[in-house]
Amino acid sequence: MASLKELSAIPEVLAPGHRLCAGCGAPIVVRQITRAAQGPLVVTNATGCLEVSTTVYPYTSWNTPWIHNAFENAAATASGVEAAYQALKRRGKLDKDVKFVVFGGDGGTYDIGFQSLSGAMERNHNLVYVCYDNGAYMNTGIQRSSATPKGADTTTSPVGKLSYGKRENRKDLTLIMAAHNIPYAAQVSPAHWNDLYQKAEKAFAAGGAAFINALAPCPRGWRHDSKDTIAICRLAVDTCFWPLYEVVEGKTRVTYKPREKKPVTEFLKAQGRFRHLFQPGNEAILEEIQKEVDRRWEELLALEEISNRQGETA
Amino acid sequence: MASEKKQVAMTGNEAVANAIRQINPDVMAAYPITPQTDIVQFYSTFAANGLVDTQMVTVESEHSAMSATVGASAAGSRAMTATSSQGLALMHEILHIASGFRLPIAMPVVNRAVSAPINIHCDHSDTMAALTTGWIQLYGESAQEAYDNMIQAVKIAEDPRVRLPVMVCYDGFITSHAVENLVLVPDDAVKAFVGEYKSEYGLFDFEKPITFGPLVLPDYFSELKAQQSDAMLAAKEVILEVAEEYEKISGRKYGYFEAYKLDDAERVIVVLSSAAGTTKAVVDELRAAGEKVGLLKPRVLRPFPAEELVKALSGAKVVAVMDRAETFSTQGGQLFAEIRSAFYEASKKPLIKNYIFGLGGRDTTTSDIRKVYEELKKDQERGSVDRKVTHLDVRV
Amino acid sequence: MTMKGYKDLPEGGVIPEKGNSVLYKTGEWRSMRPVWHSEGCVHCLMCWVFCPDSSIKVEDGKMVGIDYDHCKGCGICARECPRKEKALQMVKE
Ligand SMILES: Cc1ncc(C[n+]2csc(CCOP(=O)(O)OP(=O)(O)O)c2C)c(N)n1
Ligand code: SF4
Ligand code: SF4
Ligand code: SF4
Ligand SMILES: [Mg+2]
């Protein structure tokens, strides 16, 4: 287990001077994940806040080779980059061991980039795809995505006389990626940096396609104070809204179980995008949200249970 | 090493797949679509049998095919893919990115009508819709030309003065699936001709890392587009240089277009690709009867060789530009619009008219072409064209 | 940075440099400033691992200060510092 002292000795992949908002979760995720590569790293980035804010020409915040192609094709682009690496290596034109990481927002990953991601995972390219999930299309002004939590007020699921915000449940992308039967899939939060770092290490060492879903609060879209980014991540984990787990070669393991599972309202209350849910009349919605969180948490524990049993009989 | 030029019987797709085999790119993204599918099938078989050591990426869509090809090319490798019709349309977004990134990707496009209605046969609606994507476009009449263009495309694309992607277009089924006798250049000669690929930038230099594909705002955007425009202009020269070099290993001549019995021709058809073959037969027949007819078959549409076309056509009295795709401008096809516009400054202009023909694989026969020359004759006698735009082969 | 003419720019919009955004001073965005007191600091590096702007300066595993050229004043470091009263506080600019 690496200490922060050790991690701080690893060169920074993301230079300061980028134009992400103060307190943005995305660069925290990037800084933590990239440290685990431990060596030459090529980054592919989908269009979104992270991409535009870190590469405003002629400036770049990246200290390592980086490519952005378009919004929906980061995984396919990285597939090509990784294929070039395999080819050049085989032909003796390159002798380094290189790692590949992709960063895409939830819009670029759960929605428009879903097919491209699914393809790259199924082909088992040796790369780590990281979704920095801030639960909406932030760069275009906070539109709902399939990662937006139920009840959230966004600009395309606005609260109104007839609306309490987004009506639908979040897509469970991490489990969908695990269902691709790839070597490694995990869910992480930057508040739990140590858990995140260990998972990133495993992902980079997986020898094939790995997927990491990282919670990445957006102070602007979630409407919380910039200083609370990490605290809200902690609430997401402690309420089991955002469980920390990994699926290794098909085996599920919950890597953190809160000693006391907090009500989801603690996570919701901390953010302006859910404020309306606490007004009279919306009690049933809050209840539904809690039920859904409970159901998914139980399901995850059950998956872990099955994996444990399979381990015993193996 | 003495290497024989090989006479073979092959379909257009097989010939092009063999050109790619001889090039042996680092990376090939593969996705099926009729009538292109053969290429990626042949190539997968080459790879499966060790005839090439290309890294195959069997993507889940053409959008990803072009995206992966862009990634591989930007990384610093020689990368390719192939497509048709709906596939090219699906790639459209990334076509712009490939050229904007200045990536020398050579891609066969087997021309097929774009839906709707869905249709698998030849017309040029797919590549005509890609004329403004910043790709060089080469068109070939036959399997031989498709093969020759494929090899030259790599060299044109990768020339440091150019560094732009190239589409190698030829007609679906008519050329892609018909078996033809052709001559392959020996493997070692192709290998030496295309040489080792040397990229301008790459993603594996960790001492000098680069950022590829940043956000460029109004303060720099126009400058980068001006560079691209210059590169396209430079391609004009490079295309001829490469053709000259290629002639040395193949014995076959290429230019911006083929002029067939054009020197003293008064009535001229301008038509792309396989329909030019049919037209040649009619030209021969009419010439035998003493008619002053000729043909101009463009090979290069991007960059558009406007001056050269004007010069070649300026002796004609009437020109029929035949387009195998609609533009729905109601003012005729794309080739027509561009050739007509090229004549704007010319002091000597022929009468120019347009025929839309052969859509969705509608067969174009010698009698269709004969009809065009007959109408041109009437136009010439009248001193004006009867109609600016005619649908040649539509039932009324 | 001087604005180059179009023939002098690298092809394809490539930025053939690394991390040159350090030249862009995001510190000007700040309305609150983190102030560090070395005496109270236990060098746990919590501030460092959570800073979105790579603006906590660390040398030999020890916190040594704040990069005010780039720190945007988000306040995460101060909020997450286990010794906040003694080591890291936010003050108005
Ligand atoms: C094909 C395409 N559609 C739409 C857009 C516009 N667009 C750019 S970024 C973006 C939002 C990105 O959202 P997400 O992936 O969640 O990243 P975030 O901005 O939230 O970090 C959208 C909709 C685009 N660039 N390309
Ligand atoms: S809008 Fe949100 S995701 Fe985008 S930079 Fe600002 S805080 Fe980060
Ligand atoms: S978090 Fe506080 S105690 Fe820890 S290193 Fe930073 S300033 Fe020092
Ligand atoms: S206030 Fe924010 S940006 Fe500044 S040093 Fe602290 S965490 Fe970093
Ligand atoms: Mg988002």
Side-chain angles (χ1 to χ4, degrees), chain A residues 15-34:
Chain A
H18 59 70
R19 309 191 201 177
L20 291 150
C21 303
C24 179
I28 309 176
V29 168
V30 169
R31 290 188 58 230
Q32 294 186 3
I33 295 267
T34 50

Side-chain angles (χ1 to χ4, degrees), chain A:
Chain A
M1 204 170 85
S3 66
L4 286 181
K5 190 176 165 180
E6 283 158 2
L7 294 187
S8 71
I10 301 170
E12 197 76 58
V13 161
L14 193 68
H18 59 70
R19 309 191 201 177
L20 291 150
C21 303
C24 179
I28 309 176
V29 168
V30 169
R31 290 188 58 230
Q32 294 186 3
I33 295 267
T34 50
R35 281 209 151 62
Q38 300 270 18
L41 176 70
V42 180
V43 177
T44 304
N45 209 164
T47 312
C49 273
L50 178 67
E51 167 265 329
V52 301
S53 308
T54 56
T55 63
V56 185
Y57 192 86
Y59 297 107
T60 177
S61 301
W62 298 89
N63 286 323
T64 204
W66 178 96
I67 181 170
H68 158 252
N69 186 345
F71 186 22
E72 67 288 65
N73 65 356
T77 305
S79 300
V81 176
E82 191 258 359
Y85 166 71
Q86 301 294 354
L88 296 178
K89 213 164 177 192
R90 186 165 57 234
R91 293 177 172 188
K93 293 182 181 171
L94 195 71
D95 56 5
K96 289 188 194 72
D97 281 323
V98 179
K99 302 270 191 247
F100 299 90
V101 69
V102 188
F103 291 105
D106 49 290
T109 306
Y110 285 66
D111 287 353
I112 197 167
F114 188 57
Q115 169 185 315
S116 151
L117 171 63
S118 177
M121 293 289 115
E122 185 271 334
R123 291 190 301 274
N124 201 25
H125 288 278
N126 196 351
L127 55 84
V128 180
Y129 190 106
V130 180
C131 175
Y132 66 97
D133 184 348
N134 53 30
Y137 294 89
M138 295 309 179
N139 189 54
T140 37
I142 322 168
Q143 293 79 33
R144 63 87 86 188
S145 75
S146 60
T148 304
K150 179 173 176 148
D153 181 22
T154 76
T155 57
T156 52
S157 63
V159 172
K161 272 188 203 143
L162 304 175
S163 164
Y164 59 83
K166 191 189 168 193
R167 307 188 80 84
E168 302 79 15
N169 287 322
R170 289 165 44 79
K171 188 190 276 183
D172 198 334
L173 187 65
T174 312
L175 283 183
I176 295 170
M177 286 304 121
H180 282 64
N181 299 310
I182 49 177
Y184 193 77
Q187 199 155 281
V188 301
S189 141
H192 293 72
W193 61 268
N194 201 351
D195 176 82
L196 181 151
Y197 181 78
Q198 289 179 44
K199 287 172 177 167
E201 265 192 327
K202 288 185 199 171
F204 281 119
F211 176 79
I212 293 178
N213 207 355
L215 191 66
C218 162
R220 183 163 152 260
W222 294 16
R223 286 182 258 149
H224 61 76
D225 196 292
S226 61
K227 72 175 185 311
D228 295 334
T229 295
I230 293 299
I232 288 178
C233 284
R234 226 171 262 124
L235 285 173
V237 172
D238 285 335
T239 56
C240 298
F241 169 85
W242 190 267
L244 304 182
Y245 66 99
E246 62 184 8
V247 184
V248 191
E249 303 287 350
K251 301 244 185 303
T252 307
R253 191 170 73 88
V254 179
T255 56
Y256 173 84
K257 286 174 192 151
R259 228 174 295 146
E260 192 192 336
K261 181 167 168 247
K262 292 184 173 158
V264 73
T265 46
E266 294 208 15
F267 170 68
L268 304 177
K269 257 192 311 208
Q271 304 166 55
R273 62 176 172 160
F274 298 115
R275 186 171 303 135
H276 58 283
L277 295 179
F278 295 91
Q279 269 152 23
N282 281 334
E283 296 79 1
I285 310 300
L286 284 174
E287 224 168 280
E288 282 175 30
I289 294 172
Q290 182 65 60
K291 262 200 189 141
E292 179 66 8
V293 167
D294 293 345
R295 184 189 70 74
R296 288 196 185 181
W297 176 244
E298 294 303 325
E299 181 183 73
L300 196 61
L301 294 176
L303 283 172
E304 184 182 46
E305 182 58 31
I306 292 168
S307 299
N308 288 343
R309 258 187 279 135
Q310 281 174 342
E312 282 159 23
T313 54

Side-chain angles (χ1 to χ4, degrees), chain B residues 73-126:
Chain B
S73 180
S77 74
R78 188 180 266 154
M80 293 185 181
T81 186
T83 195
S84 286
S85 180
Q86 308 303 117
L88 187 68
L90 188 58
M91 284 178 186
H92 192 93
E93 180 197 25
I94 314 304
L95 296 177
H96 287 270
I97 292 172
S99 62
F101 279 2
R102 306 293 302 279
L103 299 176
I105 296 163
M107 173 171 73
V109 183
V110 187
N111 285 109
R112 159 181 159 182
V114 176
S115 191
I118 194 160
N119 172 292
I120 56 168
H121 295 281
C122 175
D123 73 29
H124 298 159
S125 48
D126 49 5

Side-chain angles (χ1 to χ4, degrees), chain B residues 44 63 77 117 126 134 149 192 203 240 260 316 321 323 330 338 389:
Chain B
S44 300
H63 194 284
S77 74
D126 49 5
N149 281 344
L203 295 171
L240 294 186
Y260 190 76
V321 179
D323 272 287
T330 74
E338 296 196 10
V389 185

Side-chain angles (χ1 to χ4, degrees), chain C residues 21-64:
Chain C
S21 69
V22 293
L23 300 172
Y24 190 83
K25 306 286 153 84
T26 48
E28 287 164 20
W29 298 11
R30 207 168 44 233
S31 58
M32 298 287 281
R33 157 189 295 254
V35 177
W36 177 59
H37 311 288
S38 59
E39 330 76 67
C41 175
V42 295
H43 302 286
C44 65
L45 303 188
M46 286 300 164
C47 52
W48 171 82
V49 77
F50 295 134
C51 174
D53 288 278
S54 317
S55 292
I56 300 287
K57 297 199 261 188
V58 174
E59 276 167 24
D60 298 326
K62 290 217 154 68
M63 155 76 158
V64 296

